[in-house]
Amino acid sequence: MFGSKALDDDELEEIEEILFTADIGVKTAQKLLEYIEKELSRKDKSRPEKILGGLQEKIRSMLSIETKPLDFESNKPLVILVVGVNGTGKTTTIGKLAMRFTDEGKKVILAAGDTFRAAAAEQLQVWAERTGAQLIRGQEGGDPGAVVYDAISAAKSQNADLVIADTAGRLHTKVNLVEELKKIHRVCGKAMPGAPHEVWLVLDATTGQNAINQAKQFHKALELTGMILTKLDGTAKGGVIIGIADTFGIPVRFIGIGEQAADLRRFDSEAFVKALFT
Amino acid sequence: SLSDKLGLTFKRLKGHGKLSESNIKDALRDVRINLLEADVNYRVVKDFIASVKKRAMGKEVLASLTPGQQFIKIVNEELISLMGGKAGELDLAARPPVAVMLCGLQGSGKTTSVGKLAHMLKKMGRRPYLVPADVYRPAAIEQLTKLAGDLDVPVFPSTTGQDPVEICRQAMEKAEVQNNDVVLLDTAGRLHVDEDLMQELLNIKREIQPKQILLVADSMTGQDAVNVAERFDEDLGVDGVILTKTDGDARGGAALSIKAVTGKPILFVGTGERMDAMEAFHPDRMAGRILG
Ligand SMILES: Nc1nc2c(ncn2[C@@H]2O[C@H](COP(=O)(O)OP(=O)(O)OP(=O)(O)O)[C@@H](O)[C@H]2O)c(=O)[nH]1
Ligand SMILES: Nc1nc2c(ncn2[C@@H]2O[C@H](COP(=O)(O)OP(=O)(O)OP(=O)(O)O)[C@@H](O)[C@H]2O)c(=O)[nH]1
Ligand SMILES: [Mg+2]
Ligand SMILES: [Mg+2]
């Protein structure tokens, strides 16, 4: 599909297959293969391994986005809003984050902002119990904004360090549901000026190119400050985040590598790129 | 859309009289890029392009007065035939109670789909029995129990302390006694590479002998769809597929990958979160969506 002077057709096809099967996508793959052609082939005409190394470096640079650490000092409580399409792992990830921050000695409050799906609050309740975080919930079918408001109010009166707000999964194409999310975002600001301080999109590593649309629409609606890539313990590579990082400048904060509380890691771009090529 | 893109490709060739092999190669490249953008698996695309090329390089296109239209017609036909020609059906022809087991990756939509199947079966005059066999995910049993309540169908009283195989075994006995004719087994989400959990499905299969084993797959799955479908089919044997969350804007190339690699029919598509949001799968509609 793409020509190159330094690599023969078979070598290029091999790289192309790696990139595509990692869900990197046509647009990003074309950008990378052009980079190989223009930048790398010229300098390292006879060294395919050097080209692969250069390619990995290029991908790493696309993923290295300046990220400010979470500012617990100036924001008490720090409020994190967690969003994403259905089934990506939002609720489970919130449980893992609760474990991480309670282990660090922080007082954590979880807001059961999914008032729609069957047993959503019950699911988050179990995570609260497992991690020593406090749960604020409302009525099933109730107003999600009210739950988040109550959670932030409780956090303020109890001097808690962190509020993590769970929301119902929703497809980015459902205008009314995206509007609901924008309303929850505004309610956070009413409960505490500046909140939410972080808005994180949870993406499933098995998702293909649709992840780009998801990031685009959620970013447009809420201004995302981070992404979490889940289910990397499977065989999917999650390559779609490269194009998302490059296009929208949204950094990956954490990755999910399993279903237990401890299965959360800070995003390591070097490890991620290495895994793409294994 | 692909036909627009191909229309442009062939428009450029119009003045040149007869179509050449390199013209066809350009058009094939457009189709290839289009399918990759639609999340069809890299190797499935390769095989598909090869089969289209065979027909496209023949008299059918090269000697045609409207080669562009002929080419698009071939792509469409090949895609629909790969998608499975006509729609498949759920096979419940067995002495009741008939068991249907749903399995798949985490978060693909199994529990919700069990509810939707129950709703569908109830409307058809059947008496479904729901079985929560997921003892791992927090509140999974509560989730299915709530759906059962909303649907007014009976549900087995599982607890997280039980073994999933034992839950299914006891549930089949209850269904027999209660005169429920279809038993829907909701299993925990699992990775196709998790040996213990894949063995658990085999144990349930051996004990229950479900009439249908349905793989529930998310329609926005990317290249990995092929790995997942292959492993579930090889290890367990899949009778049919439910493709969920098609109410989004994912192109759904995973559907083609799954069908190509397992040969098993896609029976239903999930079109929303409510219990009535499930329809029969239409291969031609899916083909059109994948082509864009
Ligand atoms: N293997 C694996 N499974 C995960 C991971 N993260 C979440 N899961 C599983 O994915 C499934 C869905 O997780 P949830 O936390 O319910 O997802 P959600 O986004 O809150 O779902 P909705 O609220 O319904 O939209 C569960 O079975 C989780 O255990 C991960 O990193 N690895
Ligand atoms: N929009 C939409 N959402 C769906 C569809 N099917 C399921 N969902 C949603 O997807 C999410 C996951 O559904 P579940 O039924 O919990 O998925 P699961 O496969 O049982 O998850 P695990 O048991 O954790 O593996 C929920 O938010 C569902 O409401 C669908 O067809 N369309
Ligand atoms: Mg959730
Ligand atoms: Mg489930």
Side-chain angles (χ1 to χ4, degrees):
Chain A
M1 186 191 298
F2 308 93
S4 163
K5 303 183 188 63
L7 301 169
D8 64 36
D9 279 351
D10 285 345
E11 285 168 327
L12 209 63
E13 161 108 16
E14 223 172 291
I15 291 183
E16 193 187 86
E17 178 160 1
I18 291 174
L19 296 180
F20 276 112
T21 55
D23 283 313
I24 282 185
V26 173
K27 189 153 154 275
T28 305
Q30 278 173 341
K31 180 169 178 173
L32 291 171
L33 288 159
E34 275 176 31
Y35 176 77
I36 289 179
E37 178 57 16
K38 295 200 174 79
E39 305 297 321
L40 299 179
S41 308
R42 237 185 306 132
K43 313 195 219 113
D44 303 301
K45 261 191 169 315
S46 57
R47 312 280 299 283
E49 344 75 66
K50 278 224 147 201
I51 289 185
L52 207 61
L55 176 61
Q56 294 190 27
E57 246 325 292
K58 174 67 175 164
I59 296 176
R60 260 204 84 183
S61 73
M62 288 162 87
L63 290 171
S64 305
I65 296 174
E66 183 72 56
T67 315
K68 290 193 273 102
L70 297 181
D71 191 353
F72 287 100
E73 299 315 315
S74 355
N75 303 305
K76 197 157 201 246
L78 182 75
V79 178
I80 303 175
L81 184 64
V82 177
V83 304
V85 304
N86 308 72
T88 56
K90 298 176 291 300
T91 306
T92 306
T93 300
I94 289 171
K96 295 173 184 178
L97 289 168
M99 173 65 70
R100 170 172 290 246
F101 290 113
T102 50
D103 278 356
E104 289 178 7
K106 301 253 184 301
K107 176 153 171 54
V108 180
I109 291 185
L110 304 182
D114 179 354
T115 57
F116 170 75
R117 208 208 67 215
E122 286 78 353
Q123 183 184 6
L124 196 59
Q125 172 77 40
V126 174
W127 282 106
E129 286 162 13
R130 279 180 185 177
T131 60
Q134 183 184 342
L135 181 75
I136 300 289
R137 62 164 296 180
Q139 294 260 20
E140 181 150 336
D143 173 24
V147 177
V148 179
Y149 189 95
D150 289 349
I152 296 177
S153 305
K156 279 159 65 185
S157 68
Q158 295 178 31
N159 221 15
D161 300 295
L162 176 64
V163 173
I164 312 178
D166 193 8
T167 60
R170 69 203 66 218
L171 295 181
H172 50 291
T173 49
K174 312 229 158 148
V175 178
N176 58 327
L177 296 183
V178 175
E179 283 307 307
E180 176 186 82
L181 209 47
K182 283 157 88 173
K183 177 156 177 267
I184 295 173
H185 192 282
R186 284 195 296 274
V187 166
C188 287
K190 288 213 178 79
M192 174 185 187
H197 309 97
E198 299 285 338
V199 182
W200 291 348
L201 175 70
V202 177
L203 286 174
D204 186 329
T206 65
T207 306
Q209 298 311 299
N210 195 248
I212 300 179
N213 283 8
Q214 294 173 24
K216 184 168 182 216
Q217 296 306 332
F218 279 99
H219 190 47
K220 182 159 163 253
L222 305 169
E223 201 171 328
L224 303 171
T225 61
M227 299 189 277
I228 299 182
L229 189 63
T230 62
K231 309 179 196 173
L232 274 174
D233 46 319
T235 51
K237 305 281 185 168
V240 69
I241 57 142
I242 299 167
I244 293 175
D246 196 42
T247 310
F248 304 106
I250 307 166
V252 181
R253 300 296 198 128
F254 294 98
I255 61 170
I257 55 167
E259 302 189 68
Q260 307 308 320
D263 296 333
L264 186 77
R265 298 284 177 275
R266 282 207 183 277
F267 181 66
D268 175 348
S269 60
E270 180 168 2
F272 180 80
V273 175
K274 205 152 164 269
L276 281 181
F277 288 85
T278 333
Chain B
S1 74
L2 179 65
S3 31
D4 292 341
K5 285 207 206 90
L6 290 176
L8 284 172
T9 305
F10 283 109
K11 210 172 198 152
R12 275 181 261 126
L13 317 169
K14 256 188 168 214
H16 303 232
K18 197 154 165 290
L19 223 54
S20 74
E21 289 216 352
S22 89
N23 299 150
I24 303 281
K25 284 222 172 86
D26 287 345
L28 286 172
R29 179 174 186 259
D30 286 346
V31 175
R32 184 170 181 234
I33 289 184
N34 192 320
L35 292 177
L36 287 170
E37 285 173 337
D39 287 326
V40 181
N41 180 267
Y42 185 84
R43 299 231 161 143
V44 171
V45 172
K46 219 173 171 191
D47 295 342
F48 179 77
I49 295 296
S51 65
V52 169
K53 185 176 184 191
K54 261 180 136 192
R55 282 183 66 186
M57 292 299 199
K59 278 179 92 260
E60 201 176 350
V61 174
L62 292 176
S64 164
L65 291 174
T66 56
Q69 288 182 26
Q70 203 54 32
F71 182 87
I72 292 173
K73 180 164 168 289
I74 291 173
V75 172
N76 261 300
E77 285 177 4
E78 288 295 311
L79 202 64
I80 291 175
S81 101
L82 186 53
M83 279 313 313
K86 65 179 194 62
E89 282 216 350
L90 194 63
D91 180 6
L92 300 175
R95 182 189 162 286
V98 179
V100 177
M101 179 168 84
L102 270 67
C103 60
L105 293 183
Q106 292 88 347
S108 60
K110 298 173 292 300
T111 305
T112 307
S113 298
V114 165
K116 292 176 182 181
L117 282 175
H119 173 81
M120 197 178 266
L121 290 165
K122 203 176 172 198
K123 285 204 2 231
M124 291 162 55
R126 299 278 196 154
R127 293 177 306 283
Y129 189 46
L130 304 194
V131 184
D134 178 354
V135 301
Y136 312 106
R137 166 173 159 154
I141 296 170
E142 285 88 325
Q143 184 185 1
L144 190 61
T145 304
K146 265 207 184 144
L147 295 183
D150 295 344
L151 293 163
D152 190 25
V153 295
V155 58
F156 183 81
S158 313
T159 63
T160 55
Q162 293 177 289
D163 165 63
V165 181
E166 188 55 19
I167 288 173
C168 294
R169 196 188 63 73
Q170 289 184 17
M172 291 301 287
E173 290 182 355
K174 274 209 166 212
E176 178 109 32
V177 164
Q178 295 168 174
N179 200 13
N180 289 105
D181 59 349
V182 186
V183 178
L184 301 173
L185 309 173
D186 182 22
T187 66
R190 69 206 62 216
L191 297 176
H192 50 301
V193 291
D194 186 324
E195 293 188 9
D196 292 339
L197 286 181
M198 290 306 285
Q199 184 60 46
E200 176 185 279
L201 289 178
L202 277 165
N203 295 343
I204 296 175
K205 179 181 181 180
R206 191 183 317 129
E207 180 69 31
I208 304 300
Q209 302 285 341
K211 181 71 180 155
Q212 296 271 274
I213 296 179
L214 305 181
L215 175 65
V216 179
D218 194 324
S219 64
M220 55 181 114
T221 309
Q223 298 288 310
D224 201 43
V226 135
N227 303 329
V228 178
E230 215 161 37
R231 287 299 291 270
F232 271 87
D233 195 31
E234 278 175 16
D235 291 1
L236 192 62
V238 166
D239 297 302
V241 178
I242 298 179
L243 202 67
T244 62
K245 309 176 203 172
T246 62
D247 42 318
D249 59 358
R251 296 271 297 278
L256 188 67
S257 305
I258 293 172
K259 183 70 178 55
V261 94
T262 63
K264 302 297 167 66
I266 296 174
L267 298 177
F268 302 108
V269 289
T271 58
E273 296 191 69
R274 303 202 186 278
M275 293 295 100
D276 58 0
M278 186 145 83
E279 305 172 2
F281 174 69
H282 294 283
D284 51 349
R285 273 190 225 165
M286 195 76 229
R289 177 173 177 154
I290 291 174
L291 282 177

